[in-house]
Amino acid sequence: MRVLKATLRRTPYVPLILFAVVFAAVLLSSELKSALASPLTGFVQQVVTGTLLLGLLGYQWMLFFKRVTKDNRNARTVLVRHRWMGAAATLLFALHAVRFGHVWMSALSAVVFLIALTGVMNREVLRYRSNAIYLIWLVTHIGLSAALVPMVAVHIWVALAYQ
């Protein structure tokens, strides 16, 4: 129990991300959003939350580009913001996504959930003993994030084409 408390004190974003993933999964699988009032599920709300998600997604890549360019200025601050923005993006995704059902939307949702879950399993939370395991985790997290980019582009194109 002490270890769990220490981990939560060190990583307060973890419960928020886990809550967001569970909240989004329940919301999407039970189709509660279809029962909500029209202003919460309308086209304007989808565009606003989608635009915010796109902005958060773009911001999340800042950490990757800082690592690639070996720009270590404010590295810890960028990492902390990356984690909190990931939690915010997961919550926003719960508000943006409408339902499971279509194969494409289910795949897109699954990738978002996997990115959030792999993000939670970072080195600060799990304390990897082996650098190889850390590298596998990192490649998985970044690979899923890279796969999300073209999926989002296709999603935007299809969503706007059918409006």
Side-chain angles (χ1 to χ4, degrees):
M1 189 60 139
R2 263 187 14 222
V3 173
L4 182 61
K5 284 182 182 179
T7 301
L8 289 177
R9 202 171 334 159
R10 230 182 21 255
T11 58
Y13 57 89
V14 170
L16 181 62
I17 293 175
L18 294 176
F19 167 77
V21 169
V22 170
F23 177 66
V26 167
L27 203 61
L28 293 175
S29 61
S30 66
E31 295 191 25
L32 288 173
K33 284 191 79 170
S34 60
L36 295 176
S38 173
L40 296 174
T41 58
F43 179 71
V44 172
Q45 183 262 348
Q46 292 295 313
V47 170
V48 169
T49 57
T51 302
L52 289 171
L53 272 170
L54 198 57
L56 287 173
L57 179 67
Y59 181 83
Q60 290 297 75
W61 281 97
M62 184 185 302
L63 179 62
F64 174 75
F65 290 119
K66 281 186 108 23
R67 284 180 184 231
V68 168
T69 60
K70 300 197 185 322
D71 179 9
N72 292 327
R73 289 174 293 143
N74 303 324
R76 182 69 187 162
T77 304
V78 171
L79 180 61
V80 169
R81 285 183 186 160
H82 176 83
R83 291 172 176 164
W84 282 104
M85 294 293 174
T90 308
L91 274 175
L92 192 58
F93 176 77
L95 298 174
H96 176 74
V98 177
R99 67 187 171 283
F100 285 126
H102 305 291
V103 174
W104 182 255
M105 298 312 298
S106 294
L108 189 59
S109 297
V111 169
V112 169
F113 291 155
L114 287 171
I115 290 169
L117 292 174
T118 57
V120 167
M121 294 187 277
N122 62 54
R123 185 178 2 195
E124 198 173 58
V125 173
L126 294 183
R127 304 280 184 182
Y128 299 121
R129 295 179 192 267
S130 164
N131 197 41
I133 294 173
Y134 167 72
L135 290 175
I136 291 169
W137 167 82
L138 187 64
V139 167
T140 303
H141 186 64
I142 293 173
L144 286 167
S145 300
L148 184 66
V149 172
M151 292 176 82
V152 166
V154 170
H155 167 67
I156 292 170
W157 176 67
V158 169
L160 294 177
Y162 285 101
Q163 286 301 324

